[in-house]
Each structure stands twice: as C-alpha cells, then as structure tokens.
Amino acid sequence: MRWKLLILSLLISVTVNGQGKGCIPTREEYPFRDGEQITLSLMYKWGAVNTEVGLAYIDLDTLRFNGEPSFHVNFRVKSAPFFDLFFKMRENFHSWLTIADLKPLKFTRDTYEGGYTATNLYNYDWPNNVIHADVNFNGRGDEHYEIPLHECAYDLPALIFYLRTMDLSRMKVGDKYRLSFAIDDTIFDVVLTFHGREKLNVRKMGKRNALLFTCSVVQGAMFEGDQELKFWFSDDGYYVPLGVMAPLRVGACWCWLKQYKP
C-alpha cells in the first residue's frame, strides 16, 4: 500500500458493500468563497510516538474554464523536511468545478512518493457520462481509460468541497450516503455514515463543535479489515475539516486542522 492511498484515506475511504441513500443532501448557498485557505497537519501516532510527518494545503480560487466562471481547487501534500530524508513525498492535485452546482470539469494529479511517480489527467464528459482519463505510472507513458460517470462521482478536491455543502436540516443520525470517488484508472464506491454532533478536542486548538462521519477502511497492507475511519467537520456552517483518524496495522494516522483563512 503506497502513501497515496493513506493520504486519500485521510479524507474519505472505500467500501464495496454498503448501501447508501444516494448523493448527500446539499444546500444552495456555499460555505466557502474565493481565497479560502486550509492547512492540515498530518500526524503519525503509535504509543508514545506522536509526530508531524507532513502538511496538506487546500486553496480555493475562481477563474474561467472554457469561458465560464469556475472554482479551482489546489490540494497539495508535502512531507516534513526530516521525513524527506527517508521518504520524500509530494502530492499536487488540481480540480476545476462549475460554480452553479459543483460538477467536476477537470482534474490533474502529479505525485512523487519516494521515487514512485504518477500523473492523472481527467476531462469530465457529462453529456456522455464518462471521464476521459490519461494515467501515467513511473513514466511508462500515458494509458487512456474511459471511466463511467454518474451524478455522485467526484475526484478528491471536488469531493471535499461537495461534502461541505451538506444540508443538515435534511440529515439525521445514522443516515448513509453513497458517492463515487475516482483516482488513477479506477472509480470506487464510497459510503458515508453520519453520526451527529459532538465535541472534538482539536490539536493545539482546544475543543470545537464538530460533525462526525465514519466509513469502513479498505483492507490492505497498511490497514486491518473491518475498522472505521473517523472524520469531523466544524459545526459552524463553514464545515471545515477539523480532524481525521485512520487506523493502521501499526498505530494510527491523524489529520488535524492547523490553520483556516476564510
């Protein structure tokens, strides 16, 4: 299991057997705007070990895509300088979305993980319900894929902002919502479970009002089966990612909000 799957699982996870209610209910007004910046701290915890291994940056701006006003999301992950000596990691995701309804238009990924490289180029073809995907692993050349597409399908940056448009007035504890998540040459089913409100003690920020979601962790080299990934959004109308906990075979990976600029 490469680090890319761990980073992706910090914000969502994959399950193939859950039954959801469909796309998560959304509201018309957005809790974010041009210029928003989010910084997340990536932590590894095992017993007394609790250390920051990297940072993730999520920046939102607006621009024109094919002549139309659109959102542009830049999601970057960078390993800490000390860990660069052992496993240098750089992830750079870009996503373009319609302002009207947050439909993904284009997605790019540029990854370096300890010598492993990968690139993605997605063009969303909504009239034909397909993603035209060019994928390159370790410089072996582009491979083209036609990935089936439906209304609940997103790439990683698009999914983060889509979830933040949730309409709590139409959600209740125990509800499950089914989405799809695309990366590389594959699209995964994603089932989210809403657990309601609770107080979360955010690292270096103290207690915050939070909305808790869980989903099953995909079993693999780093994860045990039948475990739950937990993640929290702020319960303040902005729905900013506050924290994520991903259980590993040894220890756990945490992601904490470090800085937020609306």
Side-chain angles (χ1 to χ4, degrees):
M1 175 75 71
R2 291 189 176 273
W3 265 95
K4 69 174 184 179
L5 290 182
L6 176 56
I7 297 303
L8 296 175
S9 295
L10 286 172
L11 293 165
I12 64 165
S13 191
V14 178
T15 178
V16 295
N17 296 315
Q19 294 299 316
K21 297 178 66 173
C23 298
I24 196 166
T26 60
R27 52 182 178 166
E28 292 184 2
E29 66 278 11
Y30 298 146
F32 42 79
R33 62 181 181 181
D34 184 6
E36 184 186 71
Q37 297 177 338
I38 299 172
T39 304
L40 304 168
S41 176
L42 307 180
M43 309 287 298
Y44 175 69
K45 182 174 176 58
W46 179 44
V49 176
N50 189 18
T51 185
E52 185 175 82
V53 299
L55 294 172
Y57 307 89
I58 307 173
D59 300 326
L60 177 70
D61 61 15
T62 55
L63 45 71
R64 288 192 171 271
F65 185 92
N66 291 337
E68 298 296 327
S70 305
F71 284 123
H72 167 241
V73 184
N74 183 202
F75 179 25
R76 295 166 289 133
V77 178
K78 181 180 180 181
S79 51
F82 175 75
F83 286 93
D84 276 351
L85 300 174
F86 306 98
F87 192 88
K88 184 176 180 179
M89 178 176 60
R90 300 291 186 270
E91 299 273 6
N92 199 349
F93 304 92
H94 290 268
S95 186
W96 292 260
L97 309 92
T98 62
I99 289 180
D101 52 9
L102 294 185
K103 277 190 178 297
L105 298 168
K106 181 180 177 181
F107 167 72
T108 65
R109 173 192 179 212
D110 189 0
T111 289
Y112 179 90
E113 299 168 350
Y116 170 84
T117 63
T119 62
N120 293 175
L121 171 59
Y122 287 1
N123 285 294
Y124 290 81
D125 183 352
W126 288 102
N128 294 302
N129 295 318
V130 67
I131 299 173
H132 304 291
D134 291 311
V135 178
N136 191 325
F137 300 107
N138 280 328
R140 68 189 188 196
D142 284 347
E143 299 176 25
H144 186 77
Y145 299 89
E146 301 289 311
I147 302 176
L149 182 60
H150 62 79
E151 62 176 349
C152 299
Y154 296 88
D155 51 70
L156 176 61
L159 181 57
I160 295 170
F161 282 86
Y162 170 72
L163 291 176
R164 292 179 59 197
T165 67
M166 72 181 89
D167 184 353
L168 282 179
S169 69
R170 295 191 285 156
M171 299 167 61
K172 63 181 186 294
V173 173
D175 280 352
K176 298 179 184 293
Y177 301 99
R178 196 171 187 84
L179 305 170
S180 290
F181 170 68
I183 188 71
D184 293 333
D185 57 353
T186 306
I187 192 163
F188 299 100
D189 289 331
V190 178
V191 177
L192 309 177
T193 302
F194 177 52
H195 291 269
R197 293 177 162 92
E198 67 174 38
K199 289 283 187 179
L200 177 67
N201 192 15
V202 180
R203 180 176 180 265
K204 296 186 177 181
M205 289 188 178
K207 291 186 177 180
R208 294 288 188 272
N209 294 326
L211 303 169
L212 172 62
F213 291 81
T214 61
C215 51
S216 298
V217 176
V218 63
Q219 187 171 359
M222 295 186 73
F223 299 118
E224 297 287 355
D226 300 324
Q227 293 182 334
E228 284 190 327
L229 178 145
K230 296 182 178 180
F231 59 100
W232 296 262
F233 290 104
S234 63
D235 185 15
D236 56 5
Y238 290 97
Y239 305 146
V240 178
L242 287 179
V244 185
M245 191 281 290
L248 307 177
R249 287 188 180 274
V250 178
C253 192
W254 283 84
C255 180
W256 293 111
L257 177 66
K258 187 166 188 174
Q259 188 174 6
Y260 171 61
K261 176 184 176 295

